[in-house]
Amino acid sequence: MQAKISALKQNAFNDIASAQDSNALEDCRIKWLGKKSETSQLLKGLKDVAPDQRPAVGALINDLKNEIESTINARRTEMEFEVISRQLEGEAIDVTLPGKRQGLGRVHPLTQTLDAVINIFHSLGFSVAEGPEIESEYYNFDALNIPTYHPARDMQDTFFLENGKLLRTHTSPVQIRVMENRTPPVRVIAPGRVYRNEAINARSYCLFHQVEGFYVDQKVTFAELKGVLGFFAQELFGKGTKIKLRPSYFPFTEPSLECDISCFLCHGSGCRVCKYSGWLEILGAGMIHPEVLKSAHYDPEKYQGYAFGMGIERITMLLYGINDIRLFFENDIRFLSQF
Ligand code: PHE
């Protein structure tokens, strides 16, 4: 009997140990402890055992039952533990893994140029002012001595709005707005967006940025304008950059000029960028027209001033060798990340 019990026990243990999930384990329980199990058969056979041995054999069978039961329970606990530890393993964080890098943003190339220009004029005592992008005809044209018949007023250049206003075509209206509110000396630069109703191509866009600069005081001279432009050119394009002033025409300055710089790429020997001229045009300027001073209620007998205006896109294109103005507005990260 003893041998039978221990053989049964061994079989049951092997069975339990090889159960892979809770269903298989439940099958084991039915197989080894159920009503039709060998263990139950043993109990039933107890009546055939000699009466004096019955208690001892009965105790053995009971022990067997208990042992199988506790082995099944132990295996069940083990399985649950396996499930939980597999789950935890999946959720585990390896704190020694390198972190994910956050991509660094870049400052837009136009903003970089704008900042550089502003810093240079800041160092000369200019302060920054801004004006509205939606302007009246008065500030954009009339007050700047641009007569009604001037071609710049043509529908082709200006975006007129339904309310009689327009999108400013240059930053020069800020001259009037600032002068109206201050008494000289005023030394101001005015960066901002301007709009022109032009065909869009590699060279021109419906929107671009200008920096206006002007200085009004008593005894402001053309020589001072020349000095400031020369200093600016050297600071932005490098020491040794020369400037050339060519006579020009703007209704709001007299005399008017256009300022070229010596080509910082070929240093005058001629290249594709300067179109083999050795010079690059960068801005328009002049002495503020007496009529413009009058618009701002300044006495032209008492005050003089100079003004200049430059296109930030053009300067940025020259500085970085960019050949299409539209790139500035497409926000293609492959383009922007180069600066
Ligand atoms: N406003 C002019 C333009 O848009 C530039 C300029 C500004 C010229 C100031 C002279 C003086 O082209």
Side-chain angles (χ1 to χ4, degrees):
M1 191 62 169
Q2 202 118 25
K4 206 173 169 187
I5 286 177
S6 54
L8 196 155
K9 194 197 302 191
Q10 199 49 53
N11 286 342
F13 282 5
N14 289 345
D15 219 16
I16 293 166
S18 63
Q20 285 308 316
D21 54 32
S22 58
N23 285 341
L25 200 59
E26 180 60 14
D27 290 345
C28 283
R29 202 185 57 76
I30 293 164
K31 180 173 172 191
W32 297 105
L33 298 175
K35 278 194 186 112
K36 293 175 185 159
S37 67
E38 288 180 56
T39 324
S40 298
Q41 297 303 321
L42 282 180
L43 272 177
K44 274 181 202 150
L46 205 56
K47 60 182 188 312
D48 305 324
V49 175
D52 58 327
Q53 287 181 18
R54 246 181 237 163
V57 175
L60 275 178
I61 297 172
N62 264 333
D63 286 350
L64 172 69
K65 272 183 73 176
N66 290 340
E67 260 186 276
I68 292 175
E69 199 165 308
S70 60
T71 308
I72 287 175
N73 288 343
R75 179 76 189 116
R76 179 166 290 125
T77 313
E78 204 176 85
M79 275 179 182
E80 283 166 1
F81 181 76
E82 275 166 19
V83 169
I84 290 172
S85 54
R86 228 174 292 134
Q87 196 178 329
L88 286 178
E89 223 167 84
E91 290 171 4
I93 296 168
D94 182 351
V95 293
T96 65
L97 277 177
K100 285 197 188 115
R101 268 188 187 283
Q102 283 290 319
L104 253 195
R106 305 284 169 102
V107 177
H108 194 285
L110 291 179
T111 311
Q112 292 188 29
T113 306
L114 212 54
D115 288 346
V117 170
I118 289 172
N119 281 337
I120 293 167
F121 285 104
H122 225 165
S123 76
L124 292 171
F126 285 75
S127 58
V128 174
E130 278 179 31
E133 290 173 27
I134 295 174
E135 262 300 5
S136 63
E137 263 188 79
Y138 174 75
Y139 283 107
N140 199 76
F141 297 126
D142 299 275
L144 288 164
N145 194 35
I146 303 176
T148 322
Y149 53 80
H150 194 281
R153 288 210 180 195
D154 203 304
M155 288 296 285
Q156 272 157 14
D157 289 321
T158 311
F159 287 110
F160 288 97
L161 306 178
E162 278 166 7
N163 59 7
K165 300 221 167 188
L166 49 81
L167 296 179
R168 67 179 177 189
T169 57
H170 53 176
T171 44
S172 299
V174 187
Q175 288 184 33
I176 309 294
R177 289 184 174 275
V178 169
M179 287 194 280
E180 276 178 346
N181 290 308
R182 293 194 211 171
T183 45
V186 284
R187 202 190 257 113
V188 163
I189 51 169
R193 287 183 182 178
V194 301
Y195 301 84
R196 286 189 197 172
N197 196 357
E198 287 174 353
I200 291 171
N201 56 44
R203 303 259 133 224
S204 74
Y205 199 66
C206 50
L207 138 79
F208 58 100
H209 296 75
Q210 285 189 334
V211 171
E212 190 84 7
F214 55 99
Y215 174 37
V216 183
D217 201 355
Q218 296 180 11
K219 302 191 187 88
V220 177
T221 65
F222 191 89
E224 210 171 326
L225 170 60
K226 227 173 128 178
V228 164
L229 294 180
F231 174 80
F232 167 71
Q234 300 231 358
E235 289 294 304
L236 192 65
F237 297 99
K239 293 274 170 265
T241 304
K242 291 197 281 279
I243 58 165
K244 181 166 82 175
L245 308 183
R246 286 180 288 110
S248 185
Y249 172 75
F250 299 105
F252 34 90
T253 48
E254 179 60 34
S256 302
L257 61 94
E258 252 154 315
C259 176
D260 295 350
I261 55 158
S262 54
C263 181
F264 55 89
L265 290 166
C266 65
H267 302 288
S269 61
C271 68
R272 263 181 54 205
V273 173
C274 64
K275 302 204 182 78
Y276 302 96
S277 69
W279 296 94
L280 301 164
E281 183 190 319
I282 57 155
L283 56 81
M287 300 306 288
I288 298 175
H289 198 289
E291 288 302 322
V292 174
L293 294 172
K294 277 193 216 162
S295 304
H297 307 296
Y298 284 180
D299 179 359
E301 297 298 326
K302 194 172 166 194
Y303 296 114
Q304 310 80 45
Y306 60 73
F308 53 84
M310 64 186 92
I312 294 302
E313 279 75 359
R314 176 167 168 74
I315 290 176
T316 311
M317 287 167 84
L318 290 174
L319 280 173
Y320 296 106
I322 297 163
N323 55 17
D324 194 327
I325 191 171
R326 290 168 291 197
L327 289 165
F328 292 123
F329 303 98
E330 282 164 359
N331 281 331
D332 185 331
I333 210 80
R334 292 167 302 181
F335 170 72
L336 295 177
S337 62
Q338 296 175 62
F339 301 94

